[in-house]
Amino acid sequence: MARNKYPEETVNRILEVSLKLFIEKGYEHTSIQDIINDLGGLTKGAIYHHFKSKEEIFLAVAEDIHKETETRMTAIRDDEKLNGLQKLQKMFCSSLESSTQDKMFSVAPNLLKNPQFLALQLQSSIEEAAPFYIQPVLEQGIADGSIQTEYPKELAEVLILLANVWLNPMIFAVSPKEMLSKCRFFQKILLGLGLDLVNEQMLERFDKYTKIYEEKNHK
């Protein structure tokens, strides 16, 4: 068999087609054969040379989507013009306003039915998002006086788990009305901690994502 001279191009092609199909049909209703049919001549063997399963393809697609988010979060965290609270506010707003979030809610499977993906979401939240983005900003806020807490590590983990897990319709599917109620409660919790992070625009975005995911799963 001839060696593939352009493996990176092949991988990118597989991921582009897979993302398109996940958005159009949903992850659950897209098969490896569907991906092959849309690749125009690429064989099943060529796909399995790079990816062991559809799950592995989805993880690679999700990683590509998250790279943009990580770039934005890093830029906000390292912005010397903002205090800790301002950075936290901007992080929350930016994460919800990003087009990458639209893609994730359009392609992702139900995480409760896919324990491997749920475990990765939890691991990413606690081992990456909380310590590398949220906790440093909380610690800066403590130092500059814009945030009051004696537990920056624990607060970072709670914030990220509430936002990424409890409020995530990919994990706990709820109606738009129920999501609004959860968001209002989340807002009260944060205000009680002295963190004014949730505004009306953010509530509208949560509502949008709930509707995107609800529509996708009723196709």
Side-chain angles (χ1 to χ4, degrees):
M1 180 184 295
R3 182 182 296 274
N4 183 356
K5 294 181 180 179
Y6 308 102
E8 187 175 340
E9 288 184 14
T10 301
V11 168
N12 289 338
R13 194 170 155 213
I14 293 170
L15 296 182
E16 287 172 7
V17 167
S18 299
L19 174 59
K20 179 178 76 73
L21 289 172
F22 290 157
I23 291 174
E24 291 174 355
K25 304 179 67 170
Y27 171 82
E28 308 287 0
H29 302 293
T30 300
S31 67
I32 288 288
Q33 190 59 51
D34 291 328
I35 296 171
I36 293 169
N37 293 342
D38 260 43
L39 281 168
L42 204 62
T43 66
K44 183 178 288 190
I47 288 182
Y48 282 118
H49 175 73
H50 297 286
F51 300 100
K52 296 177 183 177
S53 63
K54 184 178 76 167
E55 290 79 9
E56 198 168 285
I57 293 174
F58 172 75
L59 291 174
V61 167
E63 184 177 351
D64 271 0
I65 292 173
H66 280 304
K67 282 178 182 176
E68 182 186 330
T69 300
E70 291 173 357
T71 300
R72 284 185 293 104
M73 292 299 108
T74 299
I76 295 170
R77 182 196 64 196
D78 298 340
D79 188 344
E80 296 180 357
K81 297 188 295 292
L82 303 176
N83 65 30
L85 180 58
Q86 290 169 334
K87 287 183 180 182
L88 201 59
Q89 290 169 333
K90 191 170 182 178
M91 281 182 169
F92 269 70
C93 286
S94 179
S95 65
L96 287 172
E97 292 171 359
S98 168
S99 61
T100 60
Q101 290 284 31
D102 290 23
K103 290 180 183 178
M104 277 305 301
F105 281 94
S106 297
V107 307
N110 183 306
L111 297 185
L112 282 181
K113 295 179 181 177
N114 293 271
Q116 177 192 9
F117 297 152
L118 178 57
L120 288 171
Q121 173 80 351
L122 291 170
Q123 183 180 25
S124 174
S125 296
I126 295 299
E127 296 183 3
E128 297 174 21
F132 293 117
Y133 301 105
I134 306 300
Q135 186 176 338
V137 167
L138 290 174
E139 290 172 346
Q140 180 193 331
I142 294 169
D144 65 34
S146 62
I147 295 173
Q148 285 76 46
T149 181
E150 297 177 13
Y151 306 98
K153 178 179 184 296
E154 292 76 13
L155 180 55
E157 292 177 355
V158 168
L159 287 176
I160 208 70
L161 286 175
L162 285 173
N164 284 4
V165 179
W166 187 63
L167 288 175
N168 191 340
M170 293 185 291
I171 299 175
F172 299 111
V174 295
S175 69
K177 182 179 179 180
E178 291 170 321
M179 176 57 74
L180 178 60
S181 181
K182 292 178 76 169
C183 288
R184 293 287 188 195
F185 181 67
F186 181 53
Q187 185 180 39
K188 284 186 177 294
I189 291 174
L190 296 182
L191 288 173
L193 294 169
L195 299 174
D196 186 7
L197 301 181
V198 181
N199 56 35
E200 290 301 316
Q201 187 177 2
M202 293 171 69
L203 293 176
E204 290 174 5
R205 296 295 290 184
F206 271 114
D207 180 66
K208 175 186 177 181
Y209 295 139
T210 302
K211 288 176 179 175
I212 289 175
Y213 194 70
E214 188 178 57
E215 181 181 348
K216 178 177 76 73
N217 283 280
H218 283 87
K219 285 183 179 179

